């Protein structure tokens, strides 16, 4: 189920980035991953979920950070059944959205949940790690 939620989110993110760019003409190309984190939090989350998470816990290389959501609109009226409490990341769709949107702007990231209020944590924490810049490529046979 977690993989399906991530896949659904990825497909949404691939399309949402176009909407985001169309509605934020002042957005400029980010040159550092710290700028990407800032745009995701202050513009992306606010535009689509109406919240502004905090960026915390940068690693030393500045290629990995945590998004802390003190409120998560996706889990507001949700209670996990006891048999799913240890395995289901209900809001995993958010990780897929982040991956899909960033991939469309040539940035490969890994994204996963560290904690969720639905599973007893104080806040929802999503970890995002930069993997690499993707190169534009043409399909075989096209020049």
């Amino acid at each position: 189920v977690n993989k399906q939620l991530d896949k659904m989110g990825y497909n949404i993110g691939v399309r949402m980035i176009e909407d985001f760019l169309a509605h934020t003409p002042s957005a400029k190309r980010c040159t550092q991953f710290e700028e990407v984190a800032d745009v995701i939090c202050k513009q992306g989350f606010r535009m689509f979920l109406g919240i502004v998470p905090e960026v915390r816990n940068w690693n030393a290389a500045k290629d990995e950070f945590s998004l802390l959501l003190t409120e998560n609109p996706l889990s507001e009226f949700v209670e996990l059944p006891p048999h799913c409490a240890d395995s289901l990341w209900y809001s995993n769709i958010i990780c897929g959205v982040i991956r899909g949107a960033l991939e469309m702007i040539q940035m490969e990231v890994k994204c996963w949940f560290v904690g969720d209020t639905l599973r007893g944590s104080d806040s929802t924490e999503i970890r995002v790690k930069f993997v690499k810049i993707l190169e534009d490529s043409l399909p075989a046979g096209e020049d």
Side-chain angles (χ1 to χ4, degrees):
V1 174
N2 292 325
K3 286 182 182 181
Q4 284 299 106
L5 287 168
D6 183 76
K7 185 177 178 181
M8 288 169 42
Y10 177 86
N11 291 330
I12 292 168
V14 164
R15 289 166 182 78
M16 281 176 77
I17 190 67
E18 291 176 19
D19 192 41
F20 174 78
L21 293 172
H23 287 90
T24 53
S26 62
K28 58 182 172 133
R29 185 178 264 302
C30 297
T31 57
Q32 296 180 352
F33 199 50
E34 291 169 300
E35 293 174 301
V36 172
D38 195 49
V39 170
I40 288 170
C41 286
K42 293 182 179 168
Q43 295 178 347
F45 270 87
R46 183 177 38 187
M47 180 184 286
F48 295 108
L49 290 176
I51 61 171
V52 180
E54 292 179 58
V55 178
R56 287 198 184 162
N57 305 328
W58 281 96
N59 68 351
K62 296 287 188 193
D63 66 351
E64 186 175 334
F65 63 91
S66 289
L67 294 171
L68 284 141
L69 289 72
T70 52
E71 54 183 305
N72 181 354
L74 296 183
S75 64
E76 236 172 72
F77 302 104
V78 175
E79 188 175 315
L80 291 180
H83 69 281
C84 295
D86 292 336
S87 59
L88 178 64
W89 293 103
Y90 183 78
S91 299
N92 208 37
I93 199 164
I94 295 173
C95 290
V97 168
I98 292 169
R99 277 188 329 98
L102 291 179
E103 191 169 305
M104 290 298 101
I105 56 168
Q106 309 319 115
M107 191 174 292
E108 183 179 339
V109 298
K110 290 184 180 178
C111 192
W112 65 94
F113 270 86
V114 175
D116 193 349
T117 53
L118 287 175
R119 297 173 102 183
S121 299
D122 292 333
S123 63
T124 299
E125 182 178 353
I126 300 171
R127 201 77 185 143
V128 181
K129 178 170 180 49
F130 173 78
V131 177
K132 66 181 178 180
I133 297 290
L134 300 171
E135 299 295 323
D136 283 331
S137 61
L138 293 173
E142 292 186 25
D143 293 328

